[in-house]
Structure formats: structure tokens, C-alpha cells
């Protein structure tokens, strides 16, 4: 049997490796506390689950769904964009529901990337932008996100020969893993840049609803001319604790939405309709849950930041998203530090290098840890300073 080079060159998905390590520890009877994956621990709001259960009883929802999604869902998405961001979308041509945004993020590469084409991808970043590019036969060109540039890509630093072969520009704010945010001015500049260089923009806005201290993230779709050059991926996963149901959306440029719809209609058979009804309930029902969840994450954020500061680690408190991006102590790589925390303290954090070369020197902590685990995890991490101090004192 000979696998394709495409698969042979595919790195293992970051969190699969981490889950394996956790399973190994747990098999030995050790309790592991994971600040690893960003998967909300808070349940889906009960009205959403009720709608799912009700609609699952209806035989009309037991059959193949349409790839384009229920018209009611597309309308609910368009109305949500209007009320949340003031953005008008045509529910028929500018909205497409997805089986979670990851699916669309990976598949859109097939709409743009031919062999040898380039996608401009931030580094560090959610790995699927570059994996999708590579699976389509293309090459990612990595745009460094650094503290020096507030974790925004320096578009003017991209060489002309790269731009000639580049077709897609990936951006994502509020950002995973760095916790950085972008304002409308950055999105306006990105649109201008895309026009100048004939690029399509894919903005990933998965975390736009997770925000703190009264801050309200903007949507890329609010930028002047955004719809002419790009789309925004969004998700119900993080806003409504629906990671397990697998539902997201892409909105914006009609030609891009149509192209992705054509690819998908040949690959998948849509989203189970009961889940689509649950999504309609989430988007059109009471929205108080969003602020309630944010209050929980904000409290956790403050606890984590206090503890990290106490043990002498440098931290920028994020305005949005549920990740804390932390510089590792001197003398460690991100993998060494994450390994030490797992081996000695049973605490999982994600090594920054898993998100790209420029993630080296950082670890990421997710705030999606239930309160009891969070407190225990933090007291274990506090132990890190003690052992380090003792070994220094020796
Ligand atoms: C930046 C970013 N985009 C997209 C996703 C995918 O979310 P989903 O496929 O659940 O919609 C994630 C998941 O962690 C993410 O961090």
C-alpha cells in the first residue's frame, strides 16, 4: 500500500497528539488538568438543546439535508449579522451554513489553490489555514505575528514575488492563539491590499462573541468593500457552546460562497436538520447566555493572569477569545516547558510552536476548564515556581 505524498507529509493534528499524552497519563491513574484545547466546558443553552430534541422527533428531519442549509437558517444568520454588526447579507447568495467552521476553512482552499499556488497565512495561527492549503497542493507563505506588531501581519513586508503567486489571504481576529484583536482600520487596510494584489480574503471570526471588559469585537464584513474581496467564517461553537453539534457558517462574497457550496455539494450531504433548527434557536433566541458565559471566562481570565504573574510569567490579558498567550521562562522551549508542566504537575498547556515557528517561546492556556479544575490546575502551576526556586537554591 502506498499513501499519497499529501498524506505522508501531513503533520499529525496538534490536539490529537495532546489527547494521546493525556490518555497515557490517565491510563496510569494520574489526574490530568487540561488547559489545552479550546472546547467550552459550559453546556449548550437549554433552549437550544430543547429545540434540537423536538426537531429530532420529526421524520422530515431524518432525511438528507440540502447542502445550502435550511432557508430559515440562512435568514437567521443574515439577521444575526444585521443586528450584531449592522452588516446586510443576502441570505440566498451570501450565506452558507457549514459543518462547523473548520470544515469550510479547510475546503475553501480547494476553490482557490492550484498546484504551487500560495496562501498567505499568519504564523502563529489555527493550523487548518495552512493544512487546507497544503492538502489542496499549495504552499503557505507565513506572515509573522509578533508582539512588536501587536500580532497583526505586516502586509507591506510580503515580497512581490510571493504576492504574484498568492491567491488567498488568511486573517483571524480575535486571534487564536495570541488573544490579539484587530480594529476596523486594519480590516480596511486588508481590503485595500487584497484589491491591489488580486487576493481573496478569508477572515476567521470564530471568537467575535467571546469578549471582556465591555469590549465588542468588529466583524471583517464591516470593512469598506469587504464583500467585494472576501468572506468571513463564523461558528456557533464558541458563542453558544456548541462545539459538539458541528455547525458554523461562511458569509460574504457571493462568488466565494458559491464556489465553496459547489465543492461541498460534491463532498458532503449537509448538516443534520435538527442541528440546523438548534442553530436557528441559538441565533434568534435570548442572547443573555453570551454575556453570562463571557462573565465566567473573564473571571477565569483574571484568576489565571494573577497566578501567572505571581509565579513570574509575563502575560498580556486578552480583550477577547478564551486563550492566554504566555511567554515561557528563560531557558525553556515551548515544548520543554509544556512537557515539564505535564510530567511534573499533570497540567496540560499547548506549546506555542504547534501554531507555527513564531509561536516558539510561548504556551497557550485555554479558559475552558471547569472552575474546580481551574483552581486545582492553578495551584499545581503555582508549584512550578516552588520547584524551580528550590532547584535554583540548591
Ligand atoms: C480560530 C478558530 N477557527 C475555527 C475553529 C473551528 O471551530 P468549529 O469548527 O468548531 O466551528 C477554531 C476551533 O478551535 C478556531 O480556534
Amino acid at each position: 500500500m502506498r499513501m499519497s505524498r499529501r498524506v505522508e507529509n501531513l503533520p499529525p493534528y496538534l490536539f490529537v497528539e495532546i489527547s494521546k499524552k493525556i490518555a497515557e497519563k490517565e491510563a496510569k491513574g494520574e489526574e490530568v488538568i487540561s488547559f489545552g484545547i479550546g472546547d467550552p466546558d459550559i453546556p449548550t443553552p437549554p433552549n437550544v438543546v430543547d429545540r434540537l430534541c423536538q426537531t429530532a422527533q420529526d421524520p422530515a428531519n431524518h432525511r438528507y439535508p440540502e447542502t445550502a442549509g435550511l432557508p430559515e437558517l440562512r435568514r437567521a444568520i443574515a439577521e444575526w449579522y444585521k443586528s450584531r454588526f449592522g452588516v446586510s447579507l443576502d441570505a440566498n447568495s451570501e450565506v452558507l451554513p457549514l459543518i462547523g467552521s473548520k470544515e469550510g476553512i479547510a475546503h475553501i482552499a480547494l476553490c482557490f489553490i492550484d498546484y504551487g499556488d500560495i496562501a498567505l497565512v499568519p504564523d502563529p495561527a489555527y493550523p487548518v489555514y495552512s493544512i487546507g492549503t497544503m492538502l489542496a497542493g499549495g504552499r503557505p507563505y507565513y506572515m509573522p505575528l509578533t508582539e512588536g506588531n501587536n500580532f497583526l501581519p505586516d502586509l507591506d513586508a510580503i515580497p512581490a514575488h510571493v504576492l504574484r503567486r498568492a491567491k488567498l489571504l488568511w486573517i483571524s481576529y480575535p486571534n487564536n492563539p495570541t488573544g490579539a484583536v484587530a480594529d476596523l482600520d486594519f480590516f480596511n487596510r486588508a481590503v485595500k491590499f487584497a484589491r491591489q494584489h488580486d487576493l481573496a480574503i478569508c477572515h476567521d471570526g470564530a471568537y467575535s462573541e467571546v469578549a471582556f471588559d465591555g469590549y465588542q469585537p468588529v466583524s471583517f464584513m464591516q470593512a469598506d468593500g469587504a464583500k467585494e474581496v472576501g468572506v468571513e467564517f463564523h461558528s456557533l461553537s464558541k458563542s453558544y457552546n456548541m462545539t459538539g453539534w458541528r455547525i458554523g457558517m461562511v458569509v460574504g462574497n457571493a462568488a466565494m460562497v458559491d464556489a465553496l457550496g459547489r465543492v461541498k455539494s460534491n463532498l458532503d450531504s449537509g448538516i443534520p436538520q435538527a442541528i440546523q433548527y438548534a442553530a436557528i434557536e441559538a441565533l434568534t433566541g435570548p442572547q443573555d447566555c453570551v454575556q453570562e458565559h463571557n462573565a465566567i471566562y473573564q473571571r477565569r481570565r483574571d484568576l489565571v493572569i494573577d497566578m501567572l504573574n505571581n509565579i513570574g510569567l509575563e502575560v498580556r490579558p486578552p480583550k477577547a477569545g478564551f486563550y492566554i498567550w504566555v511567554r515561557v521562562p528563560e531557558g525553556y522551549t515551548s515544548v520543554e516547558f509544556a512537557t515539564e508542566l505535564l510530567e511534573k504537575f499533570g497540567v496540560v498547556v499547548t506549546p506555542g510552536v504547534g501554531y507555527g515557528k513564531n509561536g516558539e517561546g510561548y504556551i497557550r492556556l485555554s479558559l475552558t476548564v471547569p472552575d474546580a479544575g481551574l483552581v486545582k490546575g492553578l495551584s499545581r502551576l503555582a508549584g512550578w515556581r516552588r520547584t524551580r526556586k528550590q532547584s535554583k537554591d540548591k
Side-chain angles (χ1 to χ4, degrees):
M1 195 189 290
R2 284 171 303 146
M3 297 283 169
S4 65
R5 252 175 288 163
R6 181 182 306 118
V7 166
E8 274 175 355
N9 294 338
L10 199 60
Y13 193 62
L14 180 60
F15 291 106
V16 173
E17 290 303 293
I18 292 174
S19 299
K20 262 195 223 158
K21 283 198 177 154
I22 296 176
E24 279 165 23
K25 283 244 158 208
E26 287 178 342
K28 287 191 235 157
E30 295 173 36
E31 185 200 31
V32 174
I33 296 176
S34 178
F35 292 87
I37 196 162
D39 186 359
D41 56 300
I42 310 162
T44 308
N47 59 313
V48 177
V49 180
D50 285 348
R51 186 89 177 112
L52 176 80
C53 294
Q54 265 164 23
T55 51
Q57 303 285 347
D58 181 351
N61 296 325
H62 299 177
R63 312 190 66 195
Y64 282 126
E66 295 288 342
T67 305
L70 291 164
E72 301 93 301
L73 174 57
R74 281 185 270 116
R75 279 198 296 275
I77 293 169
E79 280 158 23
W80 183 81
Y81 259 86
K82 184 78 193 164
S83 70
R84 170 67 177 87
F85 299 115
V87 167
S88 301
L89 294 167
D90 177 51
N92 288 326
S93 60
E94 294 173 339
V95 175
L96 180 67
L98 301 169
I99 313 168
S101 62
K102 181 180 186 182
E103 173 264 302
I105 288 170
H107 283 143
I108 199 156
L110 297 173
C111 305
F112 283 91
I113 302 295
D114 287 314
Y115 185 74
D117 287 343
I118 289 178
L120 306 171
V121 175
D123 173 359
Y126 180 55
V128 186
Y129 316 138
S130 52
I131 300 281
T133 305
M134 292 188 275
L135 284 176
R139 283 187 294 132
Y141 172 85
Y142 293 108
M143 306 176 291
L145 303 187
T146 63
E147 275 177 51
N149 57 25
N150 292 323
F151 300 109
L152 296 172
D154 179 359
L155 300 176
D156 297 326
I158 303 168
H161 71 272
V162 170
L163 285 169
R164 275 195 292 278
R165 302 195 67 172
K167 288 177 135 178
L168 275 183
L169 167 62
W170 279 100
I171 44 179
S172 177
Y173 294 95
N175 185 260
N176 171 18
T178 66
V181 294
D183 58 14
L184 212 46
D185 180 54
F186 171 74
F187 288 145
N188 284 331
R189 277 189 285 131
V191 169
K192 215 165 132 202
F193 185 79
R195 280 200 189 117
Q196 272 165 4
H197 299 286
D198 192 20
L199 297 167
I201 293 184
C202 290
H203 179 253
D204 177 359
Y207 294 93
S208 75
E209 302 316 291
V210 184
F212 312 123
D213 307 316
Y215 174 72
Q216 283 223 318
V218 288
S219 160
F220 166 71
M221 297 316 302
Q222 290 171 275
D224 295 333
K227 241 193 240 184
E228 287 160 37
V229 296
V231 289
E232 178 160 273
F233 289 89
H234 212 301
S235 176
L236 279 84
S237 288
K238 321 286 172 172
S239 318
Y240 303 103
N241 305 331
M242 291 177 70
T243 47
W245 306 117
R246 310 309 305 131
I247 187 149
M249 62 271 212
V250 62
V251 305
N253 184 275
M256 292 173 73
V257 167
D258 175 63
L260 184 54
R262 275 192 285 150
V263 167
K264 278 171 56 58
S265 64
N266 284 286
L267 291 181
D268 67 61
S269 298
I271 305 157
Q273 285 193 174
I275 292 174
Q276 297 192 49
Y277 283 111
I280 295 172
E281 175 64 27
L283 293 167
T284 61
Q287 298 296 301
D288 315 342
C289 60
V290 175
Q291 288 317 318
E292 286 162 18
H293 303 151
N294 287 349
I296 296 172
Y297 293 131
Q298 185 171 320
R299 184 170 46 73
R300 292 177 182 173
R301 176 198 69 169
D302 295 342
L303 283 172
V304 172
I305 298 238
D306 273 357
M307 190 283 307
L308 291 171
N309 286 336
N310 282 341
I311 62 168
L313 295 181
E314 219 180 281
V315 196
R316 285 158 66 116
K319 282 189 188 170
F322 39 55
Y323 302 114
I324 312 281
W325 190 235
V326 190
R327 261 189 182 288
V328 300
E330 248 180 67
Y332 287 89
T333 65
S334 62
V335 171
E336 283 166 356
F337 191 51
T339 306
E340 180 166 316
L341 294 183
L342 179 62
E343 296 304 333
K344 292 200 180 147
F345 302 99
V347 170
V348 175
V349 300
T350 321
V353 74
Y355 301 93
K357 209 167 62 159
N358 286 282
E360 184 49 274
Y362 295 87
I363 51 165
R364 192 197 76 171
L365 277 80
S366 168
L367 300 173
T368 53
V369 189
D371 284 3
L374 185 98
V375 170
K376 205 186 244 186
L378 291 181
S379 70
R380 288 187 186 181
L381 285 176
W384 173 78
R385 182 179 57 174
R386 280 199 293 277
T387 56
R388 180 172 179 251
K389 200 156 177 300
Q390 279 159 12
S391 58
K392 265 188 165 179
D393 292 345
K394 271 180 197 162

